[in-house]
Amino acid sequence: MTALEAHVYPGGCAGTFFHKGYRFDAGATIAGGFQPGGPHDRLARMLDIDWPVRPQEPSWVVHLPRRSVVFGQDREDLLQAFPHSAAFWTRQRELAAFGWKLGAGGLPWPPADGHEWTRLARTLWRHAPGGLRHAPFAFRSVADWMARDLPHEDREFRRLLDAQLLISAQSTSEEVNALWGATALDLPRQGTMQMEGGMGALAQSLSCRLQQLGGRLVLRQQVTRILVQEGLATGVVVRSGRRRRSGQRLPADFIVANVTPWNLARLLGDSAPGRLKREARTRKAGWGAFVLHLGLDQRNLPEGAADHHQVVTSLDGPLGEGNSLFISISPPWDGSRAPEGCRALTVSTHTRATDWQSLFQTDPAACEARKAEYVGRMLRHMERALPCFREGIRLQLAGTPLTWQYYTGRHMGLVGGFPVTSLLNARGPRSGLRNLRLVGDSVFPGQSTAGVVAGAMRVTRDVLRQLAL
């Protein structure tokens, strides 16, 4: 097995890059799914990996306009702030337990052939005795569930949930599927982890294990085309090395592509199956991210501050676009992340990638002005969680979806995968070619490293079965 990586380090949107003494997480900044039976735990046992992680508590603190709420492994602070939500959280725990059982090992959804239909039926049957009562929630939204379990409408509680769902399921309660939403909301209760050296340690651990098992990882290998002959993928064309020499052809028996559907259609060109071409034309673009990376003097951080914070600026209006932020600070025990006495901080907000693309193409100066406006807005709102931090800034980098597109090659700089609004609209890994599969956050369940790992387990089983035929 050979893994081709376009960048100088593995990890992509879950990688960690080095700049002027700091190690910043490129995108993903928090990880879950390490609990017994969770995706990362299952993968570690399968591959005999010891993840370089440490548990953190609390997972994060949410700063609403009128109060701050701690999210951790117990619900104590949440229930004190919103005592009427007890029934909601009880059902959330039950639904999430069912969701983890179904999906942590790679649920074959949507099933692509008779073998996956059989495996799906067996999985559902195995969990049927305790799970049948949860089945209706597979076809409801989180908002429907809230209307059932909350005694009255609470704008503040709903805004709290919407902010959590936006970062964990890429949409809000009106749209997110209830069963998947309950599992996404379970991340703090199951426990979150900090990676020694940053989030990229996940990919580094996998890369090392790949090579120990006889596989190869080749960096600076950008795939520019997938070759197809008689309906089968036969290899790839790459640009390689620092100078990006082009035209080298590498043969392949089976290809697994960690790209978006739009990127896959471009790599296949005229050989792309019709269904994939239609998807690339009609699928609605998802979210991008506006990100600030800051090098910070730790003396300007509040004593005992949590490592992760979410700031929600108001109870009305759209989330994202600088109105909701997620802040991650490198842990004080990890000296590899920043110069002595400093910390590496990443803050991001959801943003519409299409808007940045259009503005850059029509008025680059206006695009730069908008970038400066977002930087100022985000720094101002961050003071809600970290008063006086701005005096301690030693380094500042800002990135738009255009930056993501440049460094990751992802279509329009889209990140986070597709919102799980209806299980009937979930995207599977099939490409239309028998020996080509998608993997990554475009494949159900998508969002988060835990979701990507669960989806990859499903893809692995499928590929091994196809190779054995």
Side-chain angles (χ1 to χ4, degrees), residues 261-442:
W262 297 278
N263 290 92
L264 184 62
R266 279 201 297 272
L267 290 172
L268 289 167
D270 292 339
S271 299
R275 185 172 180 180
L276 181 62
K277 289 179 180 178
R278 286 193 298 274
E279 180 181 12
R281 288 195 307 268
T282 60
R283 181 179 283 277
K284 182 180 177 182
W287 288 105
F290 190 101
V291 183
L292 277 178
H293 298 295
L294 304 175
L296 198 66
D297 189 321
Q298 66 181 5
R299 292 174 297 185
N300 292 86
L301 290 171
E303 185 70 27
D307 292 339
H308 299 281
H309 301 262
Q310 188 178 31
V311 178
V312 181
T313 62
S314 71
L315 297 184
D316 301 299
L319 290 167
E321 308 301 351
N323 302 315
S324 57
L325 315 173
F326 197 82
I327 304 167
S328 295
I329 311 168
S330 63
W333 50 262
D334 191 350
S336 71
R337 297 286 306 279
E340 186 175 356
C342 295
R343 308 273 284 279
L345 185 151
T346 296
V347 56
S348 61
T349 185
H350 284 69
T351 189
R352 292 295 178 188
T354 50
D355 295 345
W356 291 93
Q357 293 283 342
S358 299
L359 189 60
F360 179 74
Q361 291 169 7
T362 58
D363 192 341
C367 187
E368 283 300 312
R370 188 185 192 209
K371 182 177 177 180
E373 176 194 349
Y374 270 54
V375 169
R377 186 189 310 175
M378 292 170 72
L379 291 174
R380 185 172 65 253
H381 291 328
M382 287 171 66
E383 291 182 321
R384 172 78 173 86
L386 307 171
C388 304
F389 84 97
R390 295 176 75 165
E391 290 81 359
I393 295 176
R394 300 291 177 262
L395 175 69
Q396 180 174 303
L397 303 170
T400 71
L402 300 167
T403 314
W404 285 88
Q405 184 178 32
Y406 178 80
Y407 283 105
T408 68
R410 291 172 66 98
H411 174 71
M412 298 183 68
L414 301 177
V415 295
F418 305 131
V420 183
T421 53
S422 168
L423 294 181
L424 299 179
N425 293 330
R427 201 213 191 279
R430 295 292 176 98
S431 67
L433 299 179
R434 194 167 73 244
N435 64 336
L436 174 62
R437 298 288 185 273
L438 270 181
V439 75
D441 61 8
S442 295

Side-chain angles (χ1 to χ4, degrees), residues 40-334:
H40 289 119
D41 173 65
R42 288 173 181 247
L43 185 61
R45 288 187 280 111
M46 289 168 59
L47 298 180
D48 192 23
I49 291 176
D50 186 15
W51 301 118
V53 298
R54 293 193 193 184
Q56 60 178 18
E57 183 68 15
S59 294
W60 56 79
V61 180
V62 181
H63 303 273
L64 298 166
R66 294 196 297 264
R67 71 176 96 192
S68 297
V69 183
V70 175
F71 273 71
Q73 289 189 279
D74 63 50
R75 303 289 194 198
E76 181 178 349
D77 200 53
L78 268 170
L79 291 174
Q80 286 182 357
F82 303 99
H84 58 283
S85 68
F88 175 89
W89 291 115
T90 297
R91 192 180 302 277
Q92 179 274 326
R93 185 170 61 250
E94 294 171 352
L95 289 173
F98 182 56
W100 284 115
K101 288 177 182 177
L102 288 180
L107 188 71
W109 185 264
D113 55 27
H115 184 275
E116 289 197 335
W117 273 109
T118 300
R119 186 170 182 275
L120 176 65
R122 287 174 177 169
T123 301
L124 295 174
W125 178 257
R126 186 164 63 249
H127 299 295
L132 283 177
R133 68 183 186 279
H134 303 314
F137 291 91
F139 305 99
R140 296 176 181 170
S141 70
V142 174
D144 295 334
W145 157 28
M146 291 171 67
R148 173 173 176 167
D149 282 349
L150 292 176
H152 56 80
E153 175 69 19
D154 184 330
R155 287 174 59 235
E156 191 175 28
F157 183 70
R158 188 180 187 119
R159 191 67 159 180
L160 177 77
L161 287 189
D162 283 345
Q164 307 315 300
L165 291 168
L166 185 62
I167 62 172
S168 60
Q170 298 298 305
S171 192
T172 55
S173 57
E174 284 289 345
E175 295 185 333
V176 172
N177 171 266
L179 184 58
W180 172 243
T183 310
L185 289 169
D186 211 43
L187 179 63
R189 192 179 70 86
Q190 293 293 348
T192 54
M193 298 288 180
Q194 285 275 25
M195 305 285 153
E196 185 173 354
M199 283 293 295
L202 275 174
Q204 291 288 354
S205 296
L206 288 169
S207 300
C208 290
R209 191 62 180 136
L210 168 67
Q211 294 170 88
Q212 289 168 359
L213 294 171
R216 291 197 310 149
L217 169 67
V218 190
L219 302 174
R220 298 192 180 97
Q221 302 289 310
Q222 182 182 5
V223 175
T224 59
R225 187 154 55 101
I226 296 176
L227 303 172
V228 178
Q229 188 174 355
E230 297 180 359
L232 290 176
T234 59
V236 297
V237 178
V238 300
R239 285 202 298 258
S240 60
R242 288 181 180 273
R243 297 181 181 179
R244 295 298 188 189
R245 296 185 303 275
S246 62
Q248 183 181 8
R249 296 187 173 211
L250 303 176
D253 297 317
F254 209 108
I255 296 174
V256 178
N258 188 359
V259 297
T260 70
W262 297 278
N263 290 92
L264 184 62
R266 279 201 297 272
L267 290 172
L268 289 167
D270 292 339
S271 299
R275 185 172 180 180
L276 181 62
K277 289 179 180 178
R278 286 193 298 274
E279 180 181 12
R281 288 195 307 268
T282 60
R283 181 179 283 277
K284 182 180 177 182
W287 288 105
F290 190 101
V291 183
L292 277 178
H293 298 295
L294 304 175
L296 198 66
D297 189 321
Q298 66 181 5
R299 292 174 297 185
N300 292 86
L301 290 171
E303 185 70 27
D307 292 339
H308 299 281
H309 301 262
Q310 188 178 31
V311 178
V312 181
T313 62
S314 71
L315 297 184
D316 301 299
L319 290 167
E321 308 301 351
N323 302 315
S324 57
L325 315 173
F326 197 82
I327 304 167
S328 295
I329 311 168
S330 63
W333 50 262
D334 191 350

